[in-house]
Amino acid sequence: MSAQIIDGKAIAQKVRSGLAEEVAALQAKTGVQPHLAAVLVGDDPASAVYVRNKQRACEQTGIGSTLHRLPAETTQDELLQLVHQLNNDETVHGILCQLPLPEQIDELAILDAVTPLKDVDAFHPENVGLIVQGRPRFLPCTPHGVQQMLIESGTEIAGKHAVVLGRSEIVGKPMALLLMQKGAAANATVTVCHSRTQNLAEITRTADILIAAIGKPEFVTAEMVKPGATVIDVGTNRVGEKKLVGDVAFDDVKEVAGAISPVPGGVGPMTITMLLKNTLLAARLAAGE
Ligand code: GUN
């Protein structure tokens, strides 16, 4: 039997309508319109598309946004100066520096410079620390989006074995943290697998929830998946000119899994939605709400 398809686009639309109402209510009560400042350095076409999608989503939800586009040869000092300016701008509630940054710029130095109260990506060490301690301020966008997809698909999480493929700072590590936490939509037993993991398929086959975030096109095959498991595909791999594929061999795995998210139309729209949620929260914190 073919798996339930977890439609990230549809779930994202539903969450965004709720957010639009909350944004309007905050503005009516306090006069504050949440505002996201996006910083894009260089001309990586994929990054430009991601940032444009984020701005469109802001517009759709009534959140203001400004794009700061800087040339590829921007120096670290110039970028730091912009970050400081945005930190001090009371009309800006969220700051997003689109990654990757050009190689002459130390990414960590930039992410560390964003004031934690405007760090809607949840990349600042203070916000990461709060997540580790189970008392988050902002939740990391992609892992939070995945968690919402698990909830919406009716996947049981507590006590289940969740296997996270990939240990990146943006997805794998914080994903594991969210699922192992005490609390709702959590309490899973979590295993993190990575490029040095031995007997990978043996481990993935024991997963009730399998989350793939390794950036390898169609790496997860049907033989690696336990029948009935929920499979969430975080991968966005460009093959050829236009085609986008995930980390999961969707057509084969959907015949084994109980539920599966597609690429595109899966995690991507949810990541953006959680960014909007964080921007609203940042505006609330600034407004003392
Ligand atoms: N590049 C790829 N994913 C992300 C993300 O979630 N946030 C930012 N700022 N850059 C990214």
Side-chain angles (χ1 to χ4, degrees):
M1 206 180 68
S2 208
Q4 171 199 350
I5 306 299
I6 307 173
D7 184 346
K9 203 170 160 187
I11 301 167
Q13 282 307 334
K14 194 176 83 173
V15 179
R16 285 181 201 181
S17 332
L19 286 175
E21 285 174 22
E22 289 184 62
V23 167
L26 178 72
Q27 200 168 353
K29 186 173 174 203
T30 64
V32 172
Q33 183 194 20
H35 194 106
L36 177 73
V39 180
L40 177 60
V41 187
D43 28 44
D44 175 48
S47 289
V49 171
Y50 292 141
V51 169
R52 199 178 317 130
N53 288 341
K54 287 169 185 177
Q55 285 203 286
R56 275 207 197 115
C58 282
E59 223 170 88
Q60 192 196 3
T61 337
I63 294 175
S65 73
T66 312
L67 174 61
H68 297 265
R69 233 189 145 142
L70 302 179
E73 58 277 10
T74 300
T75 65
Q76 183 162 319
D77 278 351
E78 285 166 338
L79 185 52
L80 279 173
Q81 217 171 352
L82 173 61
V83 170
H84 291 313
Q85 181 198 316
L86 297 171
N87 281 345
N88 294 323
D89 185 339
E90 283 182 12
T91 66
V92 168
H93 306 107
I95 301 171
L96 174 133
C97 295
Q98 185 66 29
L99 305 179
L101 293 168
E103 59 184 12
Q104 74 274 17
I105 295 173
D106 174 0
E107 230 160 61
L108 283 181
I110 301 301
L111 299 180
D112 287 359
V114 173
T115 183
L117 288 167
K118 297 187 182 186
D119 169 38
V120 286
D121 263 323
F123 289 165
H124 190 282
E126 179 177 313
N127 286 321
V128 175
L130 290 171
I131 294 163
V132 171
Q133 293 185 343
R135 49 177 187 143
R137 176 186 287 136
F138 299 113
L139 287 169
C141 300
T142 299
H144 191 199
V146 169
Q147 198 180 29
Q148 293 304 308
M149 292 166 83
L150 293 174
I151 295 170
E152 289 286 333
S153 63
T155 300
E156 226 181 292
I157 305 174
K160 298 297 178 185
H161 186 203
V163 173
V164 179
L165 286 186
R167 54 179 160 178
S168 69
E169 303 298 333
I170 298 184
V171 184
K173 259 192 219 176
M175 185 76 249
L177 285 168
L178 292 201
L179 292 177
M180 75 166 76
Q181 261 170 9
K182 287 183 182 168
N187 282 319
T189 302
V190 180
T191 303
V192 179
C193 298
H194 48 75
S195 51
R196 303 296 177 90
T197 297
Q198 295 182 348
N199 307 319
L200 182 69
E202 247 170 63
I203 298 169
T204 59
R205 273 197 296 269
T206 68
D208 302 300
I209 298 166
L210 181 58
I211 297 163
I214 45 172
K216 292 194 172 162
E218 301 182 324
F219 179 86
V220 176
T221 56
E223 303 74 54
M224 296 169 72
V225 175
K226 175 171 158 178
T230 294
V231 180
I232 305 284
D233 192 348
V234 184
T236 47
N237 309 289
R238 235 159 260 279
V239 288
E241 272 293 293
K242 282 255 152 83
K243 196 170 175 230
L244 204 62
V245 299
D247 290 347
V248 177
F250 182 84
D251 288 340
D252 293 341
V253 172
K254 81 174 190 320
E255 300 305 324
V256 180
I260 184 168
S261 71
V263 175
V267 173
M270 291 302 292
T271 295
I272 296 179
T273 305
M274 296 305 123
L275 174 72
L276 303 175
K277 209 176 167 73
N278 281 346
T279 306
L280 170 62
L281 174 59
R284 281 209 177 108
L285 292 174
E289 282 293 300

